[in-house]
Amino acid sequence: MQHNLLILGGTSEASALAHLIAKTDIKAIISYAGRVQRIRPQPIQKRIGGFGGIEGLKAYIKDEQITHVIDATHPFAAQMSANAHTACAQSGVHLAALTRPAWQPETGDNWHQVADIRQAVEWLEKPARRVMLAIGRLHLDAFSALKHHFYLLRLVDSPEIAPDFPNKKLLVSRGPFTPEADLKILKEHQIDLVISKNAGGQGAYAKILAARELGIDVVMINRPVLPQRLEFYHPEAVLDWLYQS
Ligand code: 3Y8
Ligand code: NAP
């Protein structure tokens, strides 16, 4: 069967897969939600924007005669993953995920694991801290009631409206990040608490390594539950699966 691949992208792993696929004769397109202004250039065709829910994704799969979908979205992109799972099952096309294992606490880590953003906010109902809040733009509002903390905010794009925190420093920077650079900014801003999603992978791990080095607390937000699906951790394993299916 002539493979026709849809990669749901937005992670370093998705980019790595796109580069691997570009070296083969497999027809493929990588898809983005269009959340940020600049997307990393890719060596294969790209599409940007939502599909329009499950039905929109099913229509896309049919119209483009997609044979395989690789869900290489971020572990917190739970809606996209749920839609892909349902749309592929109903369309009768192959689905596999390219993801990364969750980080596990290691010696020297001071993690406080919470189930979701709401619990991270509850954890922060404490006397003033100097907090690195690097969970992206979407969920900043949840913390805005806790105005007594200092926040070091890291965003991919400059926000049109400055986030509503009286005591903040805004960094505009897309990753992947390095432990050395993150250690420097944690020290520079005398950060004593990092709030992070358990993204897995290397791109966001820099701040966790830096926190370990400084012996500071990390509030680690655990991942949402995703549907049961075939999962790979390496782009090469995806290629092997494609050639066998
Ligand atoms: C639009 C465009 C690549 C992919 C790079 C990875 C690594 C750098 C680390 C911190 C944590 C955060 C955030 C983060 C990382 C990689 C990867 C990763 C975290 C880009 C990209 C898109 C997005 C969306 C963006 C979210 C935001 C989350 C920033 C591309 C750069 C915090 C997740 O402003 C917004 O609306 C930003 C939205 C979803 C989380 C949020 O809720 O705000 N990612 N990030 C994708 C699209 O439109 O479909 O892919 O080039 C991709 C990357 N971001 O190939 O170089 O693989 O994880 N992205 C988190 O982990 O908590 C930053 O600052 O330490
Ligand atoms: P989400 O909440 O799971 O998805 C919300 C909606 O966005 C989806 O229903 C879909 O719209 C659209 N969408 C999401 N990913 C898409 C993709 N790759 N291609 C086309 N449409 C997509 O997603 P999210 O958490 O906002 O993540 C959006 C993007 O950012 C994804 O590419 C993800 O990999 C990337 N990202 C997210 C995070 C994070 O922390 N969430 C971190 C790094 C990268 P329709 O219903 O209209 O199809």
Side-chain angles (χ1 to χ4, degrees):
M1 162 185 18
Q2 175 60 33
H3 290 92
N4 185 8
L5 199 54
L6 166 63
I7 302 172
L8 300 173
T11 59
S12 309
E13 288 74 10
S15 296
L17 178 61
H19 283 81
L20 202 56
I21 293 285
K23 297 182 188 129
T24 73
D25 61 357
I26 295 174
K27 186 169 182 279
I29 187 166
I30 186 165
S31 173
Y32 292 89
R35 288 285 303 271
V36 298
Q37 282 152 21
R38 285 173 306 119
I39 274 168
R40 179 178 296 283
Q42 295 296 342
I44 61 173
Q45 216 192 331
K46 184 164 60 184
R47 70 171 293 289
I48 297 180
F51 296 97
I54 294 169
E55 292 312 312
L57 180 53
K58 283 167 64 178
Y60 180 86
I61 288 170
K62 184 166 176 282
D63 298 347
E64 300 300 322
Q65 297 177 318
I66 299 295
T67 60
H68 294 71
V69 173
I70 303 297
D71 178 358
T73 58
H74 189 277
F76 279 74
Q79 185 63 62
M80 186 72 257
S81 293
N83 289 2
H85 186 263
T86 305
C88 290
Q90 292 179 0
S91 308
V93 299
H94 297 284
L95 169 70
L98 173 59
T99 183
R100 53 263 185 129
W103 300 317
Q104 299 301 329
E106 297 184 17
T107 313
D109 285 340
N110 305 322
W111 286 14
H112 308 273
Q113 300 194 43
V114 294
D116 52 30
I117 299 270
R118 186 181 54 76
Q119 283 193 11
V121 174
E122 280 169 11
W123 194 95
L124 211 48
E125 281 159 8
K126 287 180 164 64
R129 301 288 292 262
R130 295 184 63 81
V131 186
M132 178 182 193
L133 193 50
I135 55 168
R137 173 174 58 99
L138 259 194
H139 305 291
L140 290 185
D141 296 350
F143 293 85
S144 59
L146 302 173
K147 297 192 184 310
H148 59 299
H149 298 302
F150 167 82
Y151 291 97
L152 176 62
L153 304 173
R154 181 150 68 188
L155 299 176
V156 178
D157 295 325
S158 286
E160 280 108 50
I161 304 158
D164 177 21
F165 297 99
N167 199 1
K168 67 173 172 294
K169 166 74 179 164
L170 182 57
L171 299 177
V172 177
S173 167
R174 59 168 292 151
F177 305 101
T178 65
E180 300 70 28
D182 276 10
L183 187 61
K184 187 165 172 291
I185 57 171
L186 290 188
K187 284 180 180 171
E188 212 171 291
H189 296 89
Q190 298 164 305
I191 298 300
D192 59 29
L193 173 67
V194 169
I195 298 186
S196 174
K197 291 176 181 172
N198 195 325
Q202 297 308 316
Y205 197 52
K207 58 189 180 287
I208 308 305
L209 290 168
R212 182 185 307 158
E213 171 109 5
L214 297 174
I216 62 178
D217 288 330
V218 172
V219 173
M220 185 60 76
I221 303 167
N222 290 329
R223 298 174 168 191
V225 176
L226 297 179
Q228 277 296 317
R229 73 256 167 104
L230 179 60
E231 289 191 350
F232 296 107
Y233 290 155
H234 305 286
E236 295 75 12
V238 172
L239 210 51
D240 293 344
W241 173 72
L242 283 172
Y243 284 131
Q244 289 156 23
S245 64

